[in-house]
Amino acid sequence: EEDGYHTRELLRLHQLEPRLEVPFSSARKMSAVVCQLSPESHTLATLKFGVEHTHCVLLKGAPDRLFPKLGAVLSTVEGALALAEGSMTDEERQLAADSNDELARQALRSLLLAVRPLTAAEVDKLRSMETAEERLALFLAPGPLALLGL
């Protein structure tokens, strides 16, 4: 019951953009949803983004498809998670890959969850795109796609 309340509250505060969704397919091995950030604080729960960001995209999928696209990491800033300065380092990338390898050694399948902040201009561009593949290309373009978890 309590978990259901928190989910409903998150969805009330951070509306999804259903037309910008990328549904899962076995060919792409991932899916994506776009959420509106809180306009006052530029947050999604405990994720905090820059004032230029109005939305974020949450991607989940096969680690082998998403690992190569990661370009950022999150760090704790004033009790919230925020994009760290600079790009993801080789050491950080290896640490995440090692965690995934350990899950595989235990015969556990894993999904990678990643987040990318979006500006109003990027959201407008996404709204003009016809296909999920076009939207996914923007989500996976070089930039601040950060690992949220495995």
Side-chain angles (χ1 to χ4, degrees):
E1 178 63 33
E2 188 175 310
D3 288 342
Y5 167 79
H6 292 297
T7 300
R8 287 190 303 277
E9 191 65 9
L10 264 176
L11 290 173
R12 184 183 70 75
L13 294 172
H14 306 286
Q15 293 186 353
L16 297 176
E17 296 268 357
R19 207 182 90 51
L20 304 182
E21 181 179 311
V22 174
F24 179 84
S25 79
S26 56
R28 69 174 75 95
K29 294 186 180 178
M30 66 182 77
S31 65
V33 294
V34 174
C35 302
Q36 185 177 20
L37 299 176
S38 171
E40 304 83 32
S41 60
H42 305 277
T43 60
L44 175 69
T46 60
L47 294 169
K48 183 163 180 55
F49 299 103
V51 296
E52 69 276 18
H53 299 118
T54 59
H55 293 71
C56 71
V57 60
L58 297 166
L59 292 107
K60 74 175 177 181
D64 64 308
R65 296 290 176 99
L66 286 171
F67 269 132
K69 304 298 184 180
L70 295 175
V73 293
L74 298 170
S75 64
T76 305
V77 178
E78 298 175 8
L81 288 173
L83 291 173
E85 295 288 325
S87 298
M88 183 179 220
T89 65
D90 290 339
E91 183 179 324
E92 290 164 334
R93 189 176 302 282
Q94 188 60 52
L95 182 61
D98 290 348
S99 295
N100 188 55
D101 291 345
E102 179 56 32
L103 292 171
R105 276 192 290 283
Q106 296 174 43
L108 298 172
R109 292 175 39 169
S110 60
L111 284 174
L112 188 145
L113 183 62
V115 63
R116 181 186 187 124
L118 300 167
T119 64
E122 288 171 319
V123 172
D124 287 343
K125 186 175 181 180
L126 287 164
R127 287 183 178 132
S128 72
M129 294 176 175
E130 295 291 323
T131 68
E133 280 68 30
E134 289 176 291
R135 293 188 297 277
L136 191 60
L138 188 144
F139 299 152
L140 297 176
L145 181 62
L147 173 69
L148 269 178
L150 268 174

